[in-house]
Amino acid sequence: SDVRLLTLARDAFFRIVREDSSATILNNIFSIMAARLRKADETIGSLVFLDVCGRVARILIELAGREGRKGRDGFIKMESPTHQTIASQIGASREAVTKAIKSLASNGLIRIEGREVIISQRQFELL
């Protein structure tokens, strides 16, 4: 797709920041940097402290939060990403992700129906 790219020279950037009397630009930059750092910390924590099943559950929760649709029945539905996509996001093999998804499903935490992952609102909160 078409893209527009804007570049800002270092000197021009610092001049704009210095001239911003309300510090709005710096506040926005710090806010974005803090959010990215929190996300990085969560990712590192997941890799260190969670097993593959926990990491798969976490990525499904994140995806459901962003892309899921809550039905009248209280279930959150979303299109399932490929196991390879999940594997590359959590640092695991596709086979390990498949095993983890089967485990989550057999324990009743998620349901797989065709290309959809379905999570009950209650399970979503517990996960």
Side-chain angles (χ1 to χ4, degrees):
S1 63
D2 291 339
V3 175
R4 282 190 175 174
L5 176 66
L6 173 67
T7 61
L8 186 60
R10 181 179 187 270
D11 293 338
F13 171 76
F14 283 120
R15 182 176 31 79
I16 291 168
V17 168
R18 277 192 305 275
E19 292 171 2
D20 181 19
S21 62
S22 65
T24 303
I25 293 172
L26 282 178
N27 286 335
N28 289 337
I29 290 171
F30 288 147
S31 178
I32 291 167
M33 288 175 60
R36 292 184 71 172
L37 182 58
R38 276 192 297 277
K39 177 69 176 156
D41 284 346
E42 288 174 10
T43 301
I44 292 166
S46 291
L47 291 171
V48 171
F49 297 115
L50 296 177
D51 61 4
V52 172
C53 200
R55 295 194 313 258
V56 169
R58 175 177 234 152
I59 199 80
L60 291 176
I61 288 169
E62 289 174 4
L63 288 170
R66 286 194 312 262
E67 302 170 11
R69 305 169 314 279
K70 187 173 181 181
R72 290 186 195 144
D73 57 3
F75 289 85
I76 297 170
K77 300 177 183 182
M78 66 175 182
E79 187 173 328
S80 178
T82 67
H83 294 189
Q84 185 60 53
T85 299
I86 296 172
S88 65
Q89 291 177 334
I90 66 167
S93 69
R94 183 194 54 77
E95 294 82 4
V97 169
T98 299
K99 185 177 178 182
I101 287 175
K102 286 181 181 177
S103 176
L104 290 169
S106 69
N107 286 312
L109 297 172
I110 64 172
R111 276 192 345 247
I112 305 295
E113 291 181 3
R115 297 260 323 131
E116 285 192 319
V117 175
I118 302 167
I119 306 171
S120 75
Q121 183 64 37
R122 171 103 172 97
Q123 294 301 335
F124 185 82
E125 291 165 1
L126 292 175
L127 289 174

